[in-house]
Amino acid sequence: MTSTSQVPAYPRLARQLAAADVDASPAEVHGIAVGLLCAGVADAYARWEAELLADGGEGNVLVDECRRSLRGLHDATAAGLDDADMSLALVLPDDERSLAERADALRDWCAGFLYGLGIAGISTDRGLSAEGREALRDVTELTRLDAEHVADSEGEEGALTEIVEFVRVAVLLIREDLRAYRERH
């Protein structure tokens, strides 16, 4: 993420989301935002916020605090996607958390990403190259990840790191495919 000062730490964001009655993990919430941004939704932030904070919660201090964090997260994510260095980072628990917890969060992130594409009206038959469709299938497959049997080990740690990087690159490929499609149509 390019501007980490705008993005609250994962545990803090989890507390803020819970306090605002958002029934989703920070990973899933971030995945939704990335899906909307990749789809090129005109006002992705407003759509994302309306999806998460359906009640609005105007005047509620806890909801307002969550809304500020969401705005910072959205802006940093948009900047990461637009950065020439492709500095997008997935919002996941840090390495001190168990491998199973981080794998669960990756699964949630992928589900959120697909949800974001879905509410944006993106379908696999429109706008994606063969590589993009394959990347989307792989991200979809990760939503079936069962982290219950993941053991903390160096080999598993390395595998998760590689999968996270794969997802990041897959998302950037999907975004570029969708951008090119929008430019052609």
Side-chain angles (χ1 to χ4, degrees):
M1 198 77 42
T2 56
S3 181
T4 56
S5 64
Q6 297 176 354
V7 179
Y10 195 93
R12 180 172 173 224
L13 185 55
R15 286 189 302 273
Q16 289 174 336
L17 291 168
D21 289 327
V22 175
D23 188 28
S25 71
E28 184 177 4
V29 164
H30 186 244
I32 295 168
V34 174
L36 288 167
L37 288 165
C38 286
V41 172
D43 193 356
Y45 177 76
R47 182 93 175 260
W48 185 49
E49 182 185 294
E51 192 68 32
L52 297 173
L53 304 172
D55 300 352
E58 283 74 19
N60 181 322
V61 174
L62 296 174
V63 173
D64 289 343
E65 180 183 12
C66 183
R67 186 175 280 117
R68 281 189 299 278
S69 291
L70 291 174
R71 174 49 89 174
L73 178 58
H74 171 273
D75 293 349
T77 300
L81 281 167
D82 289 338
D83 187 342
D85 295 331
M86 296 185 276
S87 64
L88 172 70
L90 309 186
V91 172
L92 299 169
D94 59 27
D95 292 344
E96 285 80 44
R97 305 305 305 177
S98 74
L99 198 59
E101 183 179 340
R102 290 181 286 141
D104 278 340
L106 178 61
R107 182 196 59 227
D108 290 350
W109 194 98
C110 291
F113 177 71
L114 296 173
Y115 184 77
L117 290 178
I119 61 176
I122 300 301
S123 64
T124 58
D125 60 336
R126 190 183 79 201
L128 294 179
S129 65
E131 294 85 7
R133 286 191 302 275
E134 183 178 343
L136 190 59
R137 279 191 300 274
D138 291 340
V139 170
T140 301
E141 188 62 33
L142 285 169
T143 65
R144 296 178 184 93
L145 179 67
D146 180 8
E148 186 175 317
H149 304 294
V150 174
D152 283 312
S153 71
E154 276 188 45
E156 297 285 332
E157 182 76 37
L160 183 62
T161 300
E162 288 179 19
I163 293 169
V164 169
E165 179 60 15
F166 170 81
V167 169
R168 190 184 78 77
V169 171
V171 164
L172 293 172
L173 171 67
I174 291 166
R175 180 176 190 266
E176 288 309 308
D177 278 0
L178 294 173
R179 182 188 302 202
Y181 178 79
R182 285 190 307 275
E183 289 173 0
R184 289 190 310 269
H185 294 89

PDB file of all heavy atoms in Angstrom, residues 36 62 70 99 104 128 144 163 179:
ATOM      1  N   LEU A  36     -14.337  -3.296  -6.891  1.00  0.00           N
ATOM      2  CA  LEU A  36     -15.031  -2.127  -7.448  1.00  0.00           C
ATOM      3  C   LEU A  36     -14.071  -1.227  -8.225  1.00  0.00           C
ATOM      4  O   LEU A  36     -14.402  -0.744  -9.313  1.00  0.00           O
ATOM      5  CB  LEU A  36     -15.708  -1.332  -6.327  1.00  0.00           C
ATOM      6  CG  LEU A  36     -16.932  -1.975  -5.701  1.00  0.00           C
ATOM      7  CD1 LEU A  36     -17.324  -1.250  -4.409  1.00  0.00           C
ATOM      8  CD2 LEU A  36     -18.099  -1.988  -6.679  1.00  0.00           C
ATOM      9  N   LEU A  62     -18.872   6.057  16.291  1.00  0.00           N
ATOM     10  CA  LEU A  62     -18.152   4.846  15.892  1.00  0.00           C
ATOM     11  C   LEU A  62     -18.237   4.617  14.392  1.00  0.00           C
ATOM     12  O   LEU A  62     -17.259   4.224  13.755  1.00  0.00           O
ATOM     13  CB  LEU A  62     -18.699   3.637  16.658  1.00  0.00           C
ATOM     14  CG  LEU A  62     -18.508   3.684  18.171  1.00  0.00           C
ATOM     15  CD1 LEU A  62     -19.215   2.513  18.833  1.00  0.00           C
ATOM     16  CD2 LEU A  62     -17.037   3.714  18.535  1.00  0.00           C
ATOM     17  N   LEU A  70     -12.234   3.886   6.368  1.00  0.00           N
ATOM     18  CA  LEU A  70     -12.573   3.348   5.049  1.00  0.00           C
ATOM     19  C   LEU A  70     -12.146   4.303   3.943  1.00  0.00           C
ATOM     20  O   LEU A  70     -11.634   3.870   2.905  1.00  0.00           O
ATOM     21  CB  LEU A  70     -14.070   3.053   4.952  1.00  0.00           C
ATOM     22  CG  LEU A  70     -14.581   1.893   5.791  1.00  0.00           C
ATOM     23  CD1 LEU A  70     -16.108   1.811   5.709  1.00  0.00           C
ATOM     24  CD2 LEU A  70     -13.944   0.576   5.385  1.00  0.00           C
ATOM     25  N   LEU A  99      -0.759 -18.809  10.797  1.00  0.00           N
ATOM     26  CA  LEU A  99      -0.859 -19.065   9.368  1.00  0.00           C
ATOM     27  C   LEU A  99      -2.309 -19.353   8.971  1.00  0.00           C
ATOM     28  O   LEU A  99      -2.779 -18.880   7.928  1.00  0.00           O
ATOM     29  CB  LEU A  99       0.047 -20.248   9.003  1.00  0.00           C
ATOM     30  CG  LEU A  99       0.398 -20.411   7.543  1.00  0.00           C
ATOM     31  CD1 LEU A  99       1.108 -19.182   7.000  1.00  0.00           C
ATOM     32  CD2 LEU A  99       1.274 -21.630   7.352  1.00  0.00           C
ATOM     33  N   ASP A 104      -7.215 -17.822   6.200  1.00  0.00           N
ATOM     34  CA  ASP A 104      -8.648 -17.484   6.239  1.00  0.00           C
ATOM     35  C   ASP A 104      -8.883 -16.074   5.702  1.00  0.00           C
ATOM     36  O   ASP A 104      -9.826 -15.826   4.953  1.00  0.00           O
ATOM     37  CB  ASP A 104      -9.196 -17.562   7.668  1.00  0.00           C
ATOM     38  CG  ASP A 104      -9.557 -18.966   8.097  1.00  0.00           C
ATOM     39  OD1 ASP A 104      -9.754 -19.840   7.225  1.00  0.00           O
ATOM     40  OD2 ASP A 104      -9.659 -19.190   9.322  1.00  0.00           O
ATOM     41  N   LEU A 128     -12.436  -9.828 -20.264  1.00  0.00           N
ATOM     42  CA  LEU A 128     -11.229 -10.483 -19.776  1.00  0.00           C
ATOM     43  C   LEU A 128     -10.569 -11.316 -20.869  1.00  0.00           C
ATOM     44  O   LEU A 128     -11.244 -12.022 -21.619  1.00  0.00           O
ATOM     45  CB  LEU A 128     -11.541 -11.386 -18.585  1.00  0.00           C
ATOM     46  CG  LEU A 128     -12.004 -10.696 -17.307  1.00  0.00           C
ATOM     47  CD1 LEU A 128     -12.303 -11.735 -16.227  1.00  0.00           C
ATOM     48  CD2 LEU A 128     -10.984  -9.692 -16.816  1.00  0.00           C
ATOM     49  N   ARG A 144     -12.390 -21.292  -1.764  1.00  0.00           N
ATOM     50  CA  ARG A 144     -12.693 -22.613  -1.202  1.00  0.00           C
ATOM     51  C   ARG A 144     -11.594 -23.095  -0.234  1.00  0.00           C
ATOM     52  O   ARG A 144     -11.674 -24.208   0.269  1.00  0.00           O
ATOM     53  CB  ARG A 144     -12.866 -23.630  -2.317  1.00  0.00           C
ATOM     54  CG  ARG A 144     -14.044 -23.320  -3.213  1.00  0.00           C
ATOM     55  CD  ARG A 144     -14.148 -24.344  -4.346  1.00  0.00           C
ATOM     56  NE  ARG A 144     -15.201 -23.997  -5.259  1.00  0.00           N
ATOM     57  CZ  ARG A 144     -15.045 -23.281  -6.354  1.00  0.00           C
ATOM     58  NH1 ARG A 144     -13.843 -22.843  -6.689  1.00  0.00           N
ATOM     59  NH2 ARG A 144     -16.060 -23.007  -7.136  1.00  0.00           N
ATOM     60  N   ILE A 163       1.245 -17.419  -2.673  1.00  0.00           N
ATOM     61  CA  ILE A 163      -0.160 -17.324  -3.088  1.00  0.00           C
ATOM     62  C   ILE A 163      -0.646 -15.882  -2.995  1.00  0.00           C
ATOM     63  O   ILE A 163      -1.353 -15.400  -3.885  1.00  0.00           O
ATOM     64  CB  ILE A 163      -1.042 -18.280  -2.259  1.00  0.00           C
ATOM     65  CG1 ILE A 163      -0.687 -19.727  -2.587  1.00  0.00           C
ATOM     66  CG2 ILE A 163      -2.522 -18.027  -2.524  1.00  0.00           C
ATOM     67  CD1 ILE A 163      -1.310 -20.747  -1.649  1.00  0.00           C
ATOM     68  N   ARG A 179      -9.657  -2.482 -17.797  1.00  0.00           N
ATOM     69  CA  ARG A 179      -9.354  -1.112 -18.243  1.00  0.00           C
ATOM     70  C   ARG A 179      -9.283  -1.072 -19.774  1.00  0.00           C
ATOM     71  O   ARG A 179      -9.859  -0.189 -20.401  1.00  0.00           O
ATOM     72  CB  ARG A 179      -8.047  -0.631 -17.647  1.00  0.00           C
ATOM     73  CG  ARG A 179      -7.727   0.809 -18.064  1.00  0.00           C
ATOM     74  CD  ARG A 179      -6.371   1.231 -17.638  1.00  0.00           C
ATOM     75  NE  ARG A 179      -6.225   1.116 -16.196  1.00  0.00           N
ATOM     76  CZ  ARG A 179      -5.344   1.780 -15.488  1.00  0.00           C
ATOM     77  NH1 ARG A 179      -4.504   2.607 -16.084  1.00  0.00           N
ATOM     78  NH2 ARG A 179      -5.258   1.615 -14.190  1.00  0.00           N
TER      79      ARG A 179
END
